[in-house]
Amino acid sequence: MTLSPRSEAYFWPELWKAEPNDVVGPIKGRHIRGFKWRLVRIIEKNPGTIPELSENVASRVKRTILNEKSLALMNKYNTQLLEKYPHKIYTNRIKDINPLDIP
């Protein structure tokens, strides 16, 4: 079975310390119904490669940060408006109104 830091997050440091052909364990490992003890034999270690980022990643990150900031500002503004102008919803007046029938 192939393991990765994502699949074995809690136990990955202990597994990665071992060299090929070493047996690690017993360690707790994930199982269908919780955690079970197991022995792990390291067959091969591949450190992987860092993927190259495309040119538009910087603009996408900047756009995401700006969107999050604007959303936070709008939420703050909405909260201020609700505090400044008290409101009340009259449910008895709108109970028979179907929003799909409004032109």
Side-chain angles (χ1 to χ4, degrees), residues 50-68:
I50 299 173
E52 290 188 30
L53 302 176
S54 65
E55 296 174 4
N56 65 352
V57 169
S59 64
R60 287 175 52 199
V61 168
K62 191 181 291 185
R63 208 171 337 133
T64 301
I65 291 171
L66 288 174
N67 285 340
E68 288 175 0

Side-chain angles (χ1 to χ4, degrees), residues 62-99:
K62 191 181 291 185
R63 208 171 337 133
T64 301
I65 291 171
L66 288 174
N67 285 340
E68 288 175 0
K69 283 183 178 181
S70 66
L71 184 61
L73 285 172
M74 285 303 294
N75 286 337
K76 182 179 176 183
Y77 181 68
N78 289 342
T79 304
Q80 290 172 349
L81 283 178
L82 289 173
E83 289 172 357
K84 186 175 180 180
Y85 301 105
H87 64 284
K88 183 175 181 181
I89 298 173
Y90 297 94
T91 54
N92 59 342
R93 293 184 184 176
I94 62 172
K95 66 180 177 184
D96 295 328
I97 297 175
N98 184 353

Side-chain angles (χ1 to χ4, degrees), residues 26-38:
I27 62 170
K28 266 187 155 184
R30 285 199 288 182
H31 191 264
I32 295 170
R33 296 184 183 153
F35 292 93
K36 302 257 181 185
W37 290 101
R38 63 186 173 170

